[in-house]
């Protein structure tokens, strides 16, 4: 089951950014200088968690308010308004840019194969060894190989290498 709620916790100093929420009433809580509003997450929309001193955006499956929060508006949980989605998207992009690193997501050679595919016996052998060295199962290796191979005649060689190594 995917996350179906958005918990938005913010400090009262950020109230100006979220003033539009006053006209989009939903269940709301207060804990000192912080507010928590809960909305239904739009379907098919990825919401990334965000957390800093004055703001927390938390996608969640179930509402777990915790202690210290007092109900301010005991209303049914409403659908997230479009302008909230836009603000969250801006905050997500800001957070993403701040956390961007120059670390590769995957092995450089694997990225190359993802772009151009597997064409040679040498590439095939290197591919099997790379997957084995990084702890992937033979099944994982087969699945990825089948999506990357560009020459059917590499299949017998791939199976031979797979059997030899795994």
């Amino acid at each position: 089951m995917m996350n179906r709620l958005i918990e938005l916790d913010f400090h009262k100093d950020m109230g100006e950014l979220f003033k539009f929420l006053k006209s989009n009433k939903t269940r709301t809580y207060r804990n000192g200088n912080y507010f928590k509003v809960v909305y239904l997450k739009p379907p098919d929309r990825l919401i990334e968690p965000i957390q800093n001193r004055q703001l927390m955006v938390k996608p969640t499956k179930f509402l777990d308010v915790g202690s210290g929060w007092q109900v301010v508006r005991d209303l049914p949980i409403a659908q997230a308004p479009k302008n909230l989605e836009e603000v969250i998207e801006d905050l997500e992009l800001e957070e993403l840019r701040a956390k961007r690193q120059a670390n590769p997501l995957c092995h450089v050679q694997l990225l190359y194969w993802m772009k151009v595919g597997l064409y040679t016996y040498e590439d095939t052998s290197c591919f099997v060894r790379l997957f084995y060295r990084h702890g992937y199962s033979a099944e994982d290796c087969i699945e990825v190989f089948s999506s990357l191979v560009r020459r059917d005649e590499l299949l017998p060689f791939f199976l031979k290498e797979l059997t030899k190594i795994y």
Side-chain angles (χ1 to χ4, degrees), residues 110-164:
L110 183 57
L111 180 61
Y112 174 76
W113 291 325
M114 289 167 62
K115 289 188 217 174
V116 301
L118 290 165
Y119 284 97
T120 68
Y121 293 106
E122 184 180 347
D123 281 348
T124 303
S125 184
C126 183
F127 174 83
V128 173
R129 293 164 194 262
L130 180 68
F131 267 65
Y132 182 79
R133 261 195 314 271
H134 285 85
Y136 290 98
S137 68
E139 292 80 16
D140 289 336
C141 188
I142 292 167
E143 288 174 1
V144 175
F145 176 83
S146 67
S147 67
L148 296 177
V149 70
R150 299 290 188 248
R151 293 177 45 212
D152 291 338
E153 59 270 16
L154 291 176
L155 185 56
F157 180 77
F158 169 75
L159 293 174
K160 181 181 166 194
E161 286 291 295
L162 191 73
T163 304
K164 178 173 66 175

Side-chain angles (χ1 to χ4, degrees), residues 86-97:
E86 292 166 1
V87 168
I88 289 175
E89 185 173 357
D90 289 345
L91 292 168
E92 287 173 333
L93 291 173
E94 187 178 304
E95 184 94 355
L96 190 60
R97 287 182 186 111

Side-chain angles (χ1 to χ4, degrees), residues 10-26:
F10 59 93
H11 191 273
K12 70 175 183 172
D13 292 345
M14 295 191 74
E16 191 63 28
L17 178 63
F18 298 108
K19 68 181 177 185
F20 62 89
L21 295 179
K22 289 180 182 179
S23 62
N24 295 281
K25 294 180 176 20
T26 189

Side-chain angles (χ1 to χ4, degrees), residues 10-110:
F10 59 93
H11 191 273
K12 70 175 183 172
D13 292 345
M14 295 191 74
E16 191 63 28
L17 178 63
F18 298 108
K19 68 181 177 185
F20 62 89
L21 295 179
K22 289 180 182 179
S23 62
N24 295 281
K25 294 180 176 20
T26 189
R27 185 157 316 144
T28 306
Y29 300 87
R30 185 173 186 164
N31 185 350
N33 291 327
Y34 287 86
F35 293 93
K36 178 189 296 280
V37 292
V38 183
Y39 286 100
L40 295 171
K41 184 182 86 54
D44 300 325
R45 168 73 166 85
L46 174 67
I47 303 285
E48 292 283 339
I50 298 172
Q51 187 165 359
N52 62 45
R53 246 181 97 225
Q54 293 191 322
L55 173 71
M56 182 182 79
V57 176
K58 178 183 169 189
T60 184
K61 292 178 187 176
F62 306 103
L63 181 59
D64 181 19
V65 178
S67 63
W69 292 95
Q70 303 296 316
V71 176
V72 175
R73 289 184 183 154
D74 193 11
L75 300 170
I77 298 173
Q79 195 66 245
K82 193 71 175 160
N83 41 2
L84 178 59
E85 285 184 64
E86 292 166 1
V87 168
I88 289 175
E89 185 173 357
D90 289 345
L91 292 168
E92 287 173 333
L93 291 173
E94 187 178 304
E95 184 94 355
L96 190 60
R97 287 182 186 111
K99 291 183 177 180
R100 186 173 186 196
Q101 300 175 5
N103 296 331
L105 178 61
C106 61
H107 192 278
V108 174
Q109 187 63 46
L110 183 57

